[in-house]
Structures are given as C-alpha cells and as structure tokens.
Amino acid sequence: QDGLKQCLAEFRQQLAWVERLDVTLGPVTDPVSQNSSTSDAVDPENDFQREMSFYRQAQAAVLEALPRLRKLQVPTRRPDDYFAEMAKSDQQMQKIRQKLKSKQEAMERSEKAKQLRAMRKYGKKVQVEVLQRRQKEKKNMLNAVKKYQKGLSDKLDFLDEEQTSSQGNKKGNASQRTKKGPNAKRRYKNQKFGFGGKKKGSKWNTKESFNDVSSFQSKIAHNKGPGKGGRGGKGGKKALNKRPGKRARQKMKNRAR
C-alpha cells in the first residue's frame, strides 16, 4: 500500500505537459458506423476487434497531441539531415545481405533446373510423338501392302506417300548432293562399273550378232592355234619338256637293265 501511494504521488507531480506527453482518450469514432466503440463492445477474445480498438485509441491520441505540440512549437517531423545509428551493426547487416543473396541465387538455380527439366520433358514428348507417328505410318503402309498382295485393293497410294515422305526427310541432303556432286569413291565406282541401267540380258545375242561370223577363228576355237597341243589341252614346247611320271620312269629303268 505504501508503494502504491508513492507511485501515485509521482504521477501527481505538477510538471508541464510537454515534459509528460500523456494523453488519455477513448477510441476515435468509426467512420463506417459513426459510433464510438466502447470497451464493453469489444470482445477481448476476438483478435481483430482488440487490435482495432488499440489502433483507434492511438489515432485519437495523435489527433489530440499534434495540435498541442504545434502550439508549443515542438517539431514533430524528422529533419532531412537527421542521422541515427542503426540498432544492428554493419557486420550483422552484411551477414543478412549475404544470406539474402545466397537465397536468391538458390532460387534462381532451382528455377533454371525446373526450366531444364521442363525442356527435357518436352523434348522427350516430341521424340515419342515422332516415333509413334513413324510406327503408325509404317504399320499403315504394311497393311496396305498386304491388302495389295492379297488382291483386296488395287491402289498404290502408299508408294506415293512413302516417296513424298522420304523426299521431305532427305530434301536438304539431296540438294547438297546435287550441288556438290558425287564424291571420289562414287566417281571411281562409276568409272569401274558404269552408271547403272539394264544389266540383266545385256549380253544376249541378237539376230545381227548371231549372223555375224567375221570375228570367228577356227584354230582358236578348236585349240589348234600356236602353243596348243591338240585335244589334250596344253601342248607345244612345254608338252615336249614335260617330265614323265613316276611309273613311266620305273618302266624305263627296268628296260635299261
């Protein structure tokens, strides 16, 4: 009780208001409801109503104190050249900046990784679609070929589609080949084997070649030419110098004895 009386005496000191700056007022009038919200109307368990009552009361105190301070010529705004030391040191603020920077870099890296994953998924999706389309085209073509072989269809449209698709896929390469021309290997094979064309039946005789016997030589045809040994095949000097066989040589030795 003595302590409470002492505090009450301190509160009752007759000091100027500018030294005390105490303002005791109720909440300011609500502009929506035009009613002064009393303490009995505020539900203490409702956080929003409680905080709004504090806010209204502080607003009423400011509206009451500012005109009185202006009358006393007490500045209420901070000057432009006002300098105040921060509560946190520069080292701590530097650590906070580094931490924020590292968080931002981590977020950027994760965003880039997400974009790369999305691009890979899209690339795989496109690749799968292309493979599926090719398989479908191949299946359709095989079905068309089977129908044509069995006589169920007489259309050859699948050949035109295949040709157009192959031309569309190899258009760039074909244009490059026509511009550059055949390479050295292709030129050598062309020179050696020709340029293609019909080969089957190319050596058949015709009526004119059958009747033409100007190049016929009987000696060569019947193995009677120079260096030939009659019907035995090889002849001439080589046939005369040929060594007799083993049995013939044995008979010759027996006769000599």
Side-chain angles (χ1 to χ4, degrees):
Q1 188 174 2
D2 297 336
L4 291 174
K5 289 180 179 181
Q6 184 179 357
C7 291
L8 183 60
E10 292 177 358
F11 293 157
R12 289 178 177 177
Q13 288 181 359
Q14 298 299 323
L15 298 176
W17 178 81
V18 71
E19 299 292 338
R20 294 181 285 110
L21 294 178
D22 55 344
V23 177
T24 304
L25 292 172
V28 73
T29 305
D30 190 357
V32 177
S33 61
Q34 298 295 329
N35 293 324
S36 178
S37 59
T38 58
S39 59
D40 298 334
V42 177
D43 185 8
E45 300 297 333
N46 191 338
D47 296 338
F48 180 75
Q49 290 184 3
R50 187 176 62 252
E51 296 298 328
M52 283 302 297
S53 65
F54 293 158
Y55 172 77
R56 296 293 182 188
Q57 189 174 5
Q59 188 178 11
V62 169
L63 293 175
E64 177 69 20
L66 276 177
R68 296 175 64 178
L69 290 173
R70 288 171 184 170
K71 286 182 180 180
L72 297 173
Q73 296 182 357
V74 176
T76 57
R77 291 181 177 273
R78 185 179 65 183
D80 296 335
D81 57 350
Y82 180 78
F83 177 78
E85 186 177 358
M86 297 183 65
K88 296 182 180 180
S89 62
D90 294 340
Q91 295 179 355
Q92 189 174 1
M93 294 301 296
Q94 190 68 22
K95 290 181 181 179
I96 293 172
R97 289 195 194 95
Q98 292 178 359
K99 191 173 183 180
L100 292 174
K101 188 177 180 181
S102 62
K103 283 185 179 181
Q104 186 177 3
E105 291 176 354
M107 290 175 65
E108 291 178 356
R109 286 196 299 268
S110 64
E111 189 67 24
K112 288 182 180 179
K114 287 181 182 179
Q115 292 179 359
L116 289 175
R117 285 196 295 269
M119 291 175 65
R120 287 174 184 170
K121 287 182 181 179
Y122 180 74
K124 288 181 180 179
K125 184 179 178 181
V126 171
Q127 187 177 6
V128 169
E129 289 179 356
V130 171
L131 292 176
Q132 289 178 353
R133 187 177 69 251
R134 289 180 181 175
Q135 291 177 358
K136 186 177 180 180
E137 292 176 356
K138 184 177 179 181
K139 186 178 180 180
N140 294 335
M141 188 185 69
L142 291 176
N143 292 333
V145 170
K146 288 180 181 179
K147 289 182 180 179
Y148 180 79
Q149 289 176 349
K150 292 179 180 179
L152 300 176
S153 176
D154 56 348
K155 296 181 180 180
L156 297 176
D157 298 338
F158 59 90
L159 295 178
D160 298 336
E161 293 176 0
E162 182 182 3
Q163 186 175 2
T164 54
S165 62
S166 61
Q167 288 177 358
N169 293 332
K170 298 180 180 179
K171 186 176 180 181
N173 297 332
S175 61
Q176 291 178 0
R177 285 198 298 271
T178 53
K179 291 180 181 178
K180 294 182 180 178
N183 53 11
K185 186 177 180 181
R186 182 72 265 168
R187 289 198 299 270
Y188 173 75
K189 288 190 176 181
N190 290 340
Q191 184 180 2
K192 185 176 180 181
F193 302 107
F195 294 92
K198 184 179 178 182
K199 292 183 174 60
K200 187 175 181 181
S202 60
K203 294 185 179 181
W204 287 358
N205 281 332
T206 60
K207 185 176 181 180
E208 290 78 8
S209 65
F210 178 75
N211 294 327
D212 185 13
V213 292
S214 60
S215 61
F216 177 74
Q217 297 180 8
S218 61
K219 293 182 179 181
I220 295 176
H222 296 93
N223 294 329
K224 292 182 179 180
K228 302 293 181 181
R231 64 179 182 178
K234 295 182 179 180
K237 294 182 180 180
K238 291 184 180 180
L240 296 174
N241 295 330
K242 186 178 180 180
R243 183 184 179 186
K246 185 176 181 180
R247 185 171 293 182
R249 293 197 308 270
Q250 190 69 29
K251 287 182 180 180
M252 291 170 65
K253 287 182 181 180
N254 293 336
R255 289 175 185 175
R257 290 177 183 175

